[in-house]
Amino acid sequence: MRRLFGAVVAGVLIALTLGAPARAARPGGSGWVHVPSPPFDYPAGLTCDFGVHGEPIVDKVYYRTLTTTPDGTARTEAAVGPLVYRLTNVSTGATVEGDASSSSLITHHDDGALTYRLHGPLLLGIREGRSNLPGGLYVVDGVAWRLDISADNFRTISGAYRIAQDVCADLS
């Protein structure tokens, strides 16, 4: 059964990767729901040495529940669509754009941990000492990479990824 589930998940990931590129418009079929991405504010020292404000300027990400737990909550979800943030250094007013338009397969674990299997870019805020990456605000990109977020919010990035943009350096 576990092998069959793994094959189904792999098939869904391949279909997302090949059939729905990261910058696709609304996916076809039923069950896809747009969940608006919120603006955010990181105080100085959280990810960058200065405060950062993020505002979505393109937000067309759609989610679909693929499997559920016995109580009906989502176990696995797919996400696809363009998401771009305008990122502002609140001290200087300098701005850059950060692309977060990855396609992903998200697994919700019983302990509250999350596993993202990704294709394409994702904007990640990393607190110092809370990841295998140094603290910062990055656009991480790749064709097949993984983000594991533990129940206590430790972020482990693995697979075929690269840091495509160091937002803190760009806003300095």
Side-chain angles (χ1 to χ4, degrees), residues 62-147:
Y62 287 85
Y63 293 85
R64 183 175 183 182
T65 299
L66 302 175
T67 64
T68 59
T69 62
D71 70 4
T73 59
R75 170 69 71 195
T76 55
E77 297 177 283
V80 64
L83 176 60
V84 178
Y85 273 89
R86 178 177 297 114
L87 305 159
T88 304
N89 177 329
V90 297
S91 298
T92 66
T95 65
V96 296
E97 291 182 4
D99 190 356
S101 301
S102 63
S103 296
S104 61
L105 180 65
I106 306 158
T107 302
H108 300 261
H109 301 282
D110 292 336
D111 65 354
L114 297 167
T115 299
Y116 290 75
R117 289 170 182 84
L118 299 129
H119 170 77
L122 186 66
L123 182 64
L124 283 176
I126 303 291
R127 295 179 185 188
E128 192 63 45
R130 302 296 302 146
S131 176
N132 61 324
L133 293 180
L137 184 55
Y138 305 106
V139 173
V140 179
D141 198 357
V143 294
W145 62 286
R146 180 174 165 150
L147 168 64

Side-chain angles (χ1 to χ4, degrees), residues 39-61:
F40 66 85
D41 289 289
Y42 290 161
L46 186 66
T47 57
C48 301
D49 292 336
F50 45 85
V52 176
H53 175 74
E55 187 77 35
I57 56 174
V58 176
D59 184 4
K60 296 181 182 174
V61 178

